Amino acid sequence: MCTGGCAKCLGTTLIPLAVLCTLANILLFFPGGRVIENNKNITDEVWYFGGIVGSGVLMIFPALVFLGLKNNDCCGCCGNESCGKRFAMFSSIIFAAVGVLGAGYCFVLSAVALNKGPKCYTGTEWTYPFQDGNYLTNHTLWNTCQAPENIIPWNLTLFSLLLVMSGIQAVLCGIQVVNGLLGTICGDCTCCGCCG
C-alpha cells in the first residue's frame, strides 16, 4: 500500500475515535447519567480532560494531517518531485508523536481513574472509598457507594472505553511513525521504485 494511502486510512480511523473519546469524557461529568448538585463531587480524573484534550483535540491534528497526505501534490524541491511528498511524510511523524502523547495522557488518566475508583457518597461524606482497584474484583464493596446511583458501572464503562480507545489511537499513531519513516526514505509508491 502507498504510504499516503496508509496515512489516509489511519486518519479516517482516528477521527471517529477522537469524537467517541470526547463524548465519553463529557458523559463522565454526569455521574450515573444524572446531573450532580456539586461539581466538587465529580471524580478528579474527569476534570483533567483526558478524553477531550488528550484523545480528542490533540488527536484531530494528526488525523487531519494524515488525511491530507494522500492528496499532497507538493511541487517538490531541487528538481525532485518526490521531495515535497517526503517532507510531508516526515512532518507527519511529528504529528504522529503528538498523537501518541495525547493518547498516552488519556490512557494513563483512565488507568489511574479505574484503579482509584469513583468519588461517591458513603453515607457520611463524599470520598474515594476504594483502595488500589480492590472494588474491581469484589462487587460487594460496590454497596459502599450510596450516591450517585450506578456510579461504579458508569465510571467503569466510560473509563474502560477511554482506556481501550486511547490505546488504539496510540497504536495507530505508532503505525504512522513507521509509515512516515518509510515515506520519508522511499517517497510515495508512485514516485520511487523501492516502495512499490
Side-chain angles (χ1 to χ4, degrees):
M1 176 187 284
C2 297
T3 54
C6 178
K8 183 176 181 179
C9 179
L10 294 172
T12 303
T13 308
L14 285 173
I15 287 181
L17 285 172
V19 170
L20 289 173
C21 286
T22 302
L23 289 174
N25 199 144
I26 290 170
L27 288 173
L28 283 165
F29 282 103
F30 304 96
R34 293 176 179 81
V35 176
I36 197 163
E37 292 176 13
N38 189 347
N39 288 340
K40 292 180 182 178
N41 298 331
I42 295 175
T43 304
D44 290 341
E45 286 74 22
V46 176
W47 292 103
Y48 297 143
F49 302 108
I52 295 172
V53 174
S55 286
V57 174
L58 284 179
M59 201 54 63
I60 293 295
F61 297 117
L64 294 175
V65 168
F66 300 166
L67 285 171
L69 289 175
K70 174 70 176 167
N71 299 326
N72 186 339
D73 58 353
C74 206
C75 59
C77 57
C78 305
N80 184 357
E81 283 184 29
S82 68
C83 180
K85 285 196 181 265
R86 288 178 188 210
F87 180 75
M89 290 305 286
F90 177 74
S91 67
S92 78
I93 296 170
I94 297 167
F95 281 96
V98 169
V100 169
L101 288 175
Y105 175 70
C106 182
F107 187 89
V108 169
L109 274 178
S110 300
V112 168
L114 286 170
N115 186 52
K116 187 176 172 183
K119 189 174 193 178
C120 63
Y121 183 69
T122 59
T124 55
E125 63 178 337
W126 285 87
T127 186
Y128 294 94
F130 308 115
Q131 307 278 331
D132 299 324
N134 61 349
Y135 73 102
L136 294 171
T137 55
N138 187 354
H139 290 211
T140 57
L141 291 175
W142 291 18
N143 297 328
T144 307
C145 285
Q146 296 179 10
E149 191 177 341
N150 298 321
I151 184 64
I152 296 172
W154 184 263
N155 272 29
L156 271 176
T157 301
L158 292 171
F159 276 119
S160 295
L161 283 171
L162 283 172
L163 187 79
V164 170
M165 290 187 291
S166 62
I168 292 170
Q169 287 175 328
V171 168
L172 293 176
C173 287
I175 290 170
Q176 179 54 31
V177 168
V178 174
N179 183 48
L181 284 172
L182 288 173
T184 301
I185 294 168
C186 299
D188 204 42
C189 61
T190 58
C191 307
C192 176
C194 72
C195 291

